[in-house]
């Protein structure tokens, strides 16, 4: 397998071109991507919009994922360019969360548990010619859908309350648009928001500045979804 140019770099992984159809996503710390591959395969079989998966066998390094090469902007890029309004993005993000939470848990025996993304925000939604596709399933787990709603809201709220961020006003507009949809889908009970805040604070990719914003962000989410 010949690895091509670096296409993108996230907080924990890099994406390289393989050819016109496939990319390689590689974790810098060697994290095993097998659980992520299994969840994406399961979701794809249920019709949820995830990238198609390339071959994975015993010769594949555990930190690597071969994924469909997607063409199109992220939801974040479309918001920043003005091609997508906050109202449109809020409805789309809420719809992706709601659709995900119709998929039964793969492992949990609890009947109300669902697959959770736990990082579903505009930077992790690609707007392709076949519709939105959700990427980066590194944080995925199973549990109560309200925790996924809480995490998506909390991520946006962190940006919204950050005085250093040039995107704070846009994040607040998107959060304002998203909140009514989430309230209508079951809301964000306080225990689930607290759990999301704990998870977020424990994320090793968070800077001290970002962690310090979590309390204010949680208060904003509570204000908007109460």
């Amino acid at each position: 397998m010949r690895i091509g140019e670096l296409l993108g770099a996230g907080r924990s992984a890099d994406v390289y071109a393989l050819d016109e159809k496939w990319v390689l996503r590689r974790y810098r710390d060697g994290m095993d991507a097998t659980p992520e591959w299994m969840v994406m395969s399961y979701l794809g079989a249920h019709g949820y919009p995830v990238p198609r998966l390339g071959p994975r066998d015993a010769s594949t390094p555990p930190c690597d994922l071969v994924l469909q090469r997607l063409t199109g902007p992220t939801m974040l890029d479309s918001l920043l360019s003005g091609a997508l309004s906050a109202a449109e993005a809020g409805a789309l993000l809420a719809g992706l969360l709601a659709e995900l939470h119709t998929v039964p848990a793969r492992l949990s025996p609890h009947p109300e548990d669902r697959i959770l993304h736990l990082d579903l925000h505009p930077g992790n939604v690609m707007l392709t010619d076949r519709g939105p596709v959700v990427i980066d399933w590194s944080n995925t787990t199973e549990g109560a859908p309200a925790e996924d709603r809480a995490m998506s809201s909390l991520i946006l709220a962190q940006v919204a309350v950050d005085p250093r961020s040039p995107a704070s006003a846009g994040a607040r507009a998107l959060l304002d648009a998203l909140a009514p949809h989430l309230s209508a889908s079951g809301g964000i009970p306080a225990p689930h928001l607290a759990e999301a805040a704990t998870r977020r604070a424990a994320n090793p990719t968070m800077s001290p500045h970002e962690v310090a914003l979590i309390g204010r962000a949680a208060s904003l989410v509570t204000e908007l979804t109460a």
Side-chain angles (χ1 to χ4, degrees), residues 180-216:
H181 293 286
L182 300 187
S183 295
S185 296
I188 303 174
H192 295 292
L193 180 57
E195 176 62 25
T198 298
R199 282 185 184 272
R200 191 72 174 157
N203 188 326
T205 69
M206 291 284 97
S207 69
H209 172 70
E210 290 172 311
V211 171
L213 296 170
I214 291 174
R216 290 173 58 199

Side-chain angles (χ1 to χ4, degrees), residues 30-45:
M31 184 176 81
D32 187 357
T34 304
E36 188 175 352
W37 188 93
M38 294 176 70
V39 169
M40 292 174 69
S41 178
Y42 177 78
L43 287 170

Side-chain angles (χ1 to χ4, degrees), residues 93-115:
L93 200 59
L96 289 168
L97 282 164
E99 183 181 355
L100 175 60
H101 300 151
T102 66
V103 180
R106 186 174 66 92
L107 300 174
S108 172
H110 195 291
E112 295 183 4
D113 280 353
R114 295 292 185 267
I115 304 290

Side-chain angles (χ1 to χ4, degrees), residues 39-178:
V39 169
M40 292 174 69
S41 178
Y42 177 78
L43 287 170
H46 279 77
Y48 192 76
V50 296
R52 292 201 315 274
L53 293 163
R56 186 175 179 84
D57 54 34
S59 66
T60 304
C63 60
D64 288 357
L65 281 174
V66 175
L67 303 169
Q68 173 191 12
R69 187 168 183 169
L70 301 171
T71 301
T74 64
M75 183 190 290
L76 177 59
D77 290 336
S78 291
L79 280 164
L80 293 174
S81 71
L84 194 69
S85 70
E88 292 169 326
L92 180 55
L93 200 59
L96 289 168
L97 282 164
E99 183 181 355
L100 175 60
H101 300 151
T102 66
V103 180
R106 186 174 66 92
L107 300 174
S108 172
H110 195 291
E112 295 183 4
D113 280 353
R114 295 292 185 267
I115 304 290
L116 308 182
H117 186 282
L118 293 183
D119 200 21
L120 188 43
H121 58 74
N124 281 336
V125 180
M126 298 286 293
L127 303 179
T128 75
D129 58 3
R130 71 180 181 99
V133 178
V134 180
I135 62 172
D136 192 356
W137 292 84
S138 57
N139 291 336
T140 185
T141 188
E142 297 179 359
E147 189 174 341
D148 226 1
R149 296 192 292 268
M151 186 64 81
S152 289
S153 301
L154 188 64
I155 290 169
L156 291 174
Q158 273 184 279
V159 181
V161 301
D162 187 354
R164 300 182 188 176
S165 175
S168 60
R172 176 59 194 263
L174 177 53
L175 187 59
D176 285 344
L178 176 65

